Amino acid sequence: GHINLPVTIKGVEGRAILDSGAQLNAINLSFINRHGFEFPKGGKVNVEGIYGTETRRLFNNVQAKLFNTDLELDNLAGLRLGHHEVQLLLGAGLLEKFIFQIDYPNSRLRLFERGSVDLAKLENIQMQIDRGSGQPIVRVDLNGQKDAWLILDTGNNGGLFLKRTLATDSNWLELYGSQSSLIAGANNIGVVDDFRLPEVKFGPFTIENVQVSVPADGQTESV
């Protein structure tokens, strides 16, 4: 479910994940270790995930080929991003430079230069930048019962991830049946309860039978 872009680092072809919910860019430690690569080390950064915050090393002078362009990337946080074929995670550092048009059904992506499109005339959903995190948040209607501001996160390959109180206040876990599963955050793995919400309104569109995950009872999280 991730948005994958082709990327090449040191002659090795792989994938970069486009993650609108990430406030930094990262390089996969599994990729580095697999090929025995060494990159100049920078300082350290605190990486906050839904299940805690950890300190990570930064890497500099990473030569990458992306969009048929040779780039030198600095301040890449070293993270575990799954299979070594995934080389990079690209977040706000890239997203803030362009306007991205993403066509999920047809697996297409188009970039515009900032200022070339008047988004105010085209917008059909309320969106803001969260003051605390700098992440893009959008307003949605949950089952005709609650309005909520949620992070628009292309790095989440599930459905909605909500605070547990949003579900328990409306008794959704009991009404729609839930089951437990494990999900991986940026730093750790957590337990969640999953269920299907009958209806979510996203701008002018109504989506039915939407997958929802909430932290399991007693599971600490940072959403």
Side-chain angles (χ1 to χ4, degrees):
H2 290 133
I3 298 175
N4 294 290
L5 308 174
V7 64
T8 301
I9 296 177
K10 287 196 171 186
V12 179
E13 295 181 354
R15 297 182 284 121
I17 294 175
L18 189 65
D19 186 355
S20 62
Q23 293 308 293
L24 45 71
N25 297 328
I27 188 167
N28 190 359
L29 294 175
S30 297
F31 163 70
I32 293 177
N33 296 335
R34 170 76 175 188
H35 299 282
F37 290 150
E38 293 187 5
F39 299 103
K41 294 181 174 65
K44 295 183 178 180
V45 64
N46 290 328
V47 177
E48 182 178 353
I50 58 175
Y51 297 121
T53 300
E54 292 192 5
T55 301
R56 299 289 184 169
R57 172 69 65 187
L58 295 174
F59 295 89
N60 295 319
N61 306 126
V62 177
Q63 307 295 324
K65 191 176 187 65
L66 181 70
F67 302 132
N68 292 319
T69 302
D70 292 319
L71 303 173
E72 182 179 293
L73 302 175
D74 294 316
N75 296 319
L76 298 178
L79 297 180
R80 296 285 179 184
L81 300 173
H83 194 273
H84 60 80
E85 184 183 357
V86 176
Q87 299 179 359
L88 298 174
L89 182 144
L90 301 174
L94 174 69
L95 291 169
E96 66 184 6
K97 300 180 186 302
F98 301 97
I99 295 172
F100 284 78
Q101 184 180 27
I102 302 168
D103 180 356
Y104 272 96
N106 296 302
S107 300
R108 297 184 299 180
L109 178 72
R110 180 161 61 176
L111 274 66
F112 297 91
E113 292 184 356
R114 293 176 63 89
S116 63
V117 178
D118 187 351
L119 290 179
K121 293 182 178 180
L122 300 174
E123 67 176 1
N124 58 8
I125 187 170
Q126 288 181 270
M127 174 178 160
Q128 298 179 6
I129 299 299
D130 182 73
R131 293 180 180 179
S133 67
Q135 295 170 307
I137 56 176
V138 293
R139 188 172 184 176
V140 300
D141 177 282
L142 301 174
N143 214 40
Q145 296 173 272
K146 293 179 179 290
D147 285 334
W149 287 92
L150 306 180
I151 297 170
L152 184 62
D153 186 0
T154 61
N156 173 22
N157 61 357
L160 301 183
F161 188 85
L162 304 178
K163 286 182 176 295
R164 185 175 180 86
T165 53
L166 278 175
T168 55
D169 287 351
S170 299
N171 206 33
W172 289 338
L173 293 170
E174 288 74 21
L175 285 174
Y176 305 122
S178 65
Q179 58 184 11
S180 298
S181 64
L182 297 176
I183 64 169
N187 299 311
N188 297 297
I189 293 175
V191 182
V192 296
D193 290 331
D194 302 312
F195 63 95
R196 291 277 176 174
L197 196 63
E199 183 179 286
V200 174
K201 290 185 178 178
F202 189 79
F205 303 101
T206 298
I207 309 170
E208 298 179 344
N209 195 33
V210 177
Q211 177 187 340
V212 178
S213 299
V214 300
D217 190 20
Q219 174 74 65
T220 58
E221 37 75 25
S222 304
V223 297

